[in-house]
Amino acid sequence: IPVIRFYNVLSSLGLSQTYEQVQTFINTWISKVESEDLNFIRAIANAQNALNHEKYDLILEHLRSIDCQGYENKGRVHCLEMIAYYEEDYDYDYVLNFIHNFRRTLRRNKSKIGNHAYQYFYNFSGIIEDLYKVKYEGKSMDLSDYDYIMYRSWVGKKVSG
């Protein structure tokens, strides 16, 4: 199974199956995924399942033990971490510093990431920053400013309140 297809199936299952049912799917099918690093794929799948079922406290737990290779994989991990930080109400300054460092790394490695992934990651970090501003500063937010949005359904729930 190609990695992206595996992630897409997880997203679809997350809409209709329980957390435990999706975990069973992950454990059953992970060995069939086309990847040299199945531990990384399993960690991302588990974190995505936690996100899909609003078990935000588990996201960081799943991501903590992984060693990811490649800028796109690191970007995916950092976006999931930002969701967990937001949902677990991490310190605003800590998260803003994390976002600043993430964006600096993105800019420095833009040619290695590719424009499409760069836009998704950069925009997502901006969305998290804007969500914090809505939460703590009472500002409003408009998603029309963002052409590329990762985790669109989660973002839509947060923006619509």
Side-chain angles (χ1 to χ4, degrees), residues 1-17 22 25-26 33 41 44-45 48-49 52 76 120 150-151:
I1 304 171
V3 173
I4 194 69
R5 183 171 295 150
F6 183 68
Y7 290 149
N8 289 341
V9 169
L10 289 177
S11 292
S12 296
L13 287 175
L15 298 173
S16 62
Q17 304 294 310
V22 177
F25 174 85
I26 292 168
V33 176
I41 301 301
I44 292 291
Q48 185 175 325
N49 187 29
N52 291 341
R76 181 182 289 273
Y120 272 107
M150 289 183 70
Y151 304 111

Side-chain angles (χ1 to χ4, degrees), residues 10-11 24 31 34 36 41 47 58 60 65-66 83 94 100 107-108 121 124 140 142 147-149 158:
L10 289 177
S11 292
T24 300
S31 63
E34 298 170 359
E36 293 178 14
I41 301 301
L58 296 178
L60 293 176
S65 62
I66 63 170
I83 290 171
Y94 173 84
H100 173 76
R107 284 190 299 271
R108 192 171 50 240
F121 297 145
F124 191 77
S140 61
D142 184 9
D147 293 330
Y148 301 96
I149 301 176
K158 296 299 135 186

Side-chain angles (χ1 to χ4, degrees), residues 27-139:
N27 293 330
T28 302
W29 289 95
I30 191 71
S31 63
K32 308 286 190 258
V33 176
E34 298 170 359
S35 175
E36 293 178 14
D37 190 356
L38 291 180
N39 288 331
F40 174 78
I41 301 301
R42 181 188 308 273
I44 292 291
N46 289 334
Q48 185 175 325
N49 187 29
L51 169 63
N52 291 341
H53 291 91
E54 299 180 4
K55 295 179 179 280
Y56 304 114
D57 58 318
L58 296 178
I59 293 174
L60 293 176
E61 182 180 314
H62 290 304
L63 299 177
R64 197 168 320 228
S65 62
I66 63 170
D67 178 32
C68 53
Q69 304 299 315
Y71 295 106
E72 287 191 32
N73 288 338
K74 288 178 183 177
R76 181 182 289 273
V77 167
H78 289 323
C79 289
L80 285 165
E81 287 173 330
M82 284 185 265
I83 290 171
Y85 295 154
Y86 178 80
E87 291 292 354
E88 293 297 302
D89 209 23
Y90 270 57
D91 180 68
Y92 185 38
D93 290 330
Y94 173 84
V95 176
L96 288 181
N97 187 51
F98 183 88
I99 290 170
H100 173 76
N101 290 336
F102 177 59
R103 285 179 168 173
R104 189 173 54 217
T105 300
L106 282 175
R107 284 190 299 271
R108 192 171 50 240
N109 297 289
K110 185 176 182 179
S111 64
K112 298 172 188 166
I113 297 171
N115 191 51
H116 208 77
Y118 173 85
Q119 289 298 322
Y120 272 107
F121 297 145
Y122 198 87
N123 284 351
F124 191 77
S125 63
I127 288 169
I128 295 292
E129 187 174 1
D130 286 350
L131 285 171
Y132 266 94
K133 288 178 182 174
V134 168
K135 190 176 193 176
Y136 292 109
E137 299 175 15
K139 305 240 172 161

